[in-house]
Amino acid sequence: MTRHFEFEKLGQDGKARLGVIRSPRGEIRTPAFMPVGTAGTVKAMMPESVASTGADIILGNTYHLMLRPTAERIDRLGGLHKFMNWEKPILTDSGGFQVMSLSNLRKMSEEGVTFKSHIDGSRHTLTPERSMEIQRLLGSDIVMCFDECTPFPADPKVSMESMRLSMRWAQRSREAFGDRPGHALFGIQQGSIYRDQRERSAELLKAIEFEGYAVGGLAVGEGQDMMFEVLDYAPDMLPEDKPRYLMGVGKPDDIVGAVARGIDMMDCVLPTRSGRTGQVFTRHGVLNIKNARHQDDPRPLDAACSCPACRNYSRAYLHHVFRAQEMISGMLLTWHNLQYYQDLMQGMRDAIANETFDAFQRDFHAQRAEGDIEPL
């Protein structure tokens, strides 16, 4: 097992990249999808169940964990890995996105952001230095710079000011992170939908030097077409020899499109949140388990899926437990969705290795266009 953090590109097909991130806690195969474990748990899942789907890394949330149970408490109890019983790598976000979304509860300055807790109204200040300290206390393997997630839409002047603030905060994050062998700090490119600002942001980040780079400020309401437009050039501005992480994405077709444009890592609450609300992802698109068409259907959600929901239960049963609001519903549907996402990532890794990624994309879209299997 390596004592360092390193990225190796193993193959490429078009812009799609196959690689591996090596860290002291294990390897992360890329392209990678990171399930979101906001408050120290991937909702409705046991950690070993998450690992069984093929996930090499999960995401933890600085904002939520700093408020409850606090980073200091987690540190005293042995760090986040031990606390939540997850031995593989963990990436923590900086807290910036959540704080920015509290627009009526926060006050921003050059120093950082002062905000009121959504839990009890207590006041807190988050700065680049404090964000680095919290993430160090949590013990995460990949740490994100503290940044301002520029709202959308933003006119060029507002976006430029926001991007420049994030770059100053990136420098302070780098200095506060210090020398931590085996841990990585990722910089976050900003600039909204403006190519010149993305270019400038990338130049400033490269001058600071990070172990990886994220494309931030997308999936915030701009729509897929505009997101892809930015991804047609933004990842190319970042170093070729470092992992590239698209934050907060997304739907399966967003993920495939992002990988096709050179992205290596993604995260999103969608598969877990959807599992709890009865939305199911399959190779044939999205189905809603609460629909009456499933109530007498003895077939699995997806005959090609190896998850427990598909192996052991019928659509009729899953429909029943969802309607009855039984806990097992959220558990089984979440497990299925996470399995679907990890199978999708493995399919893309295989296709890039075999240089058949174009064919993979065509098959992926064609299958989804067919829609769900015919009702009985």
Side-chain angles (χ1 to χ4, degrees):
M1 190 74 79
T2 180
R3 295 180 57 225
H4 304 288
F5 181 95
E6 57 195 29
F7 173 67
E8 183 184 357
K9 202 174 80 172
L10 302 173
Q12 188 158 341
D13 187 6
K15 284 188 181 182
R17 293 145 51 100
L18 176 71
V20 61
I21 297 168
R22 296 190 179 90
S23 83
R25 286 194 179 271
E27 294 190 343
I28 304 159
R29 298 161 295 166
T30 64
F33 178 80
M34 302 181 281
V36 176
T38 301
T41 169
V42 177
K43 285 184 173 59
M45 294 287 286
M46 300 280 280
E48 46 272 46
S49 309
V50 177
S52 79
T53 66
D56 295 330
I57 176 172
I58 61 170
L59 184 139
N61 190 281
T62 291
Y63 168 81
H64 287 280
L65 293 169
M66 73 177 273
L67 295 178
R68 184 173 58 196
T70 76
E72 286 73 14
R73 179 167 287 129
I74 291 173
D75 179 45
R76 288 196 301 273
L77 292 165
L80 185 56
H81 294 84
K82 183 180 180 188
F83 189 57
M84 68 176 291
N85 189 31
W86 176 265
E87 287 306 313
K88 293 183 175 198
I90 295 174
L91 178 149
T92 44
D93 60 14
S94 70
F97 179 79
Q98 279 75 21
V99 169
M100 298 313 152
S101 64
L102 298 169
S103 50
N104 57 339
L105 297 172
R106 67 173 169 86
K107 187 163 179 257
M108 200 166 76
S109 67
E110 182 68 36
E111 183 58 23
V113 187
T114 303
F115 64 95
K116 281 186 182 174
S117 162
H118 73 285
I119 298 168
D120 60 8
S122 57
R123 294 184 75 77
H124 301 266
T125 300
L126 205 45
T127 63
E129 293 76 15
R130 177 63 177 145
S131 176
M132 295 305 102
E133 181 188 21
I134 292 165
Q135 294 182 79
R136 180 185 60 75
L137 290 167
L138 295 174
S140 52
D141 306 277
I142 299 177
V143 170
M144 299 306 296
C145 274
F146 189 62
D147 69 327
E148 181 189 11
C149 183
T150 311
F152 181 86
D155 70 53
K157 187 169 181 293
V158 170
S159 172
M160 178 66 88
E161 284 173 9
S162 173
M163 181 273 283
R164 289 191 177 281
L165 177 64
S166 284
M167 296 309 101
R168 295 192 294 275
W169 285 355
Q171 180 67 57
R172 284 167 57 191
S173 295
R174 178 84 266 182
E175 288 162 9
F177 180 81
D179 183 27
R180 297 183 59 204
H183 297 263
L185 180 63
F186 280 26
I188 305 173
Q189 182 200 51
Q190 292 290 354
S192 189
I193 56 170
Y194 305 109
R195 186 172 187 148
D196 58 330
Q197 294 184 26
R198 291 270 170 191
E199 185 71 70
R200 182 65 183 138
S201 179
E203 286 167 8
L204 292 166
L205 291 173
K206 286 188 283 190
I208 298 170
E209 293 191 359
F210 293 95
E211 287 76 47
Y213 295 81
V215 178
L218 292 177
V220 289
E222 74 283 357
Q224 190 188 70
D225 289 349
M226 197 171 281
M227 179 176 78
F228 282 172
E229 223 171 274
V230 175
L231 291 177
D232 281 335
Y233 57 76
D236 299 334
M237 297 171 174
L238 303 171
E240 175 76 18
D241 62 343
K242 298 286 167 68
R244 301 164 176 170
Y245 164 31
L246 177 60
M247 305 178 77
V249 170
K251 298 196 295 282
D253 50 331
D254 292 338
I255 289 174
V256 172
V259 169
R261 289 163 174 81
I263 292 293
D264 304 304
M265 304 165 69
M266 282 139 293
D267 77 281
C268 191
V269 297
L270 199 60
T272 46
R273 182 177 288 165
S274 296
R276 301 193 305 278
T277 58
Q279 193 178 48
V280 181
F281 295 95
T282 75
R283 290 167 305 128
H284 299 288
V286 184
L287 65 87
N288 195 327
I289 201 62
K290 58 170 138 345
N291 290 350
R293 62 163 283 183
H294 304 297
Q295 66 187 2
D296 290 307
D297 196 332
R299 297 172 297 181
L301 294 170
D302 188 333
C305 179
S306 64
C307 83
C310 291
R311 275 202 323 269
N312 303 325
Y313 300 96
S314 65
R315 290 179 176 218
Y317 178 76
L318 296 167
H319 170 84
H320 158 66
V321 288
F322 182 84
R323 297 293 252 185
Q325 299 184 329
E326 291 291 345
M327 266 192 282
I328 196 172
S329 168
M331 294 158 65
L332 287 171
L333 297 182
T334 298
W335 196 327
H336 167 81
N337 282 346
L338 288 176
Q339 187 68 61
Y340 170 79
Y341 268 64
Q342 295 301 339
D343 288 350
L344 177 63
M345 304 319 287
Q346 186 59 54
M348 286 193 286
R349 291 193 292 264
D350 291 343
I352 298 166
N354 297 326
E355 297 186 354
T356 55
F357 192 72
D358 280 348
F360 175 90
Q361 285 192 86
R362 281 195 303 274
D363 291 349
F364 167 81
H365 290 297
Q367 266 195 322
R368 284 170 67 84
E370 286 171 10
D372 192 16
I373 54 177
E374 287 296 316
L376 288 174

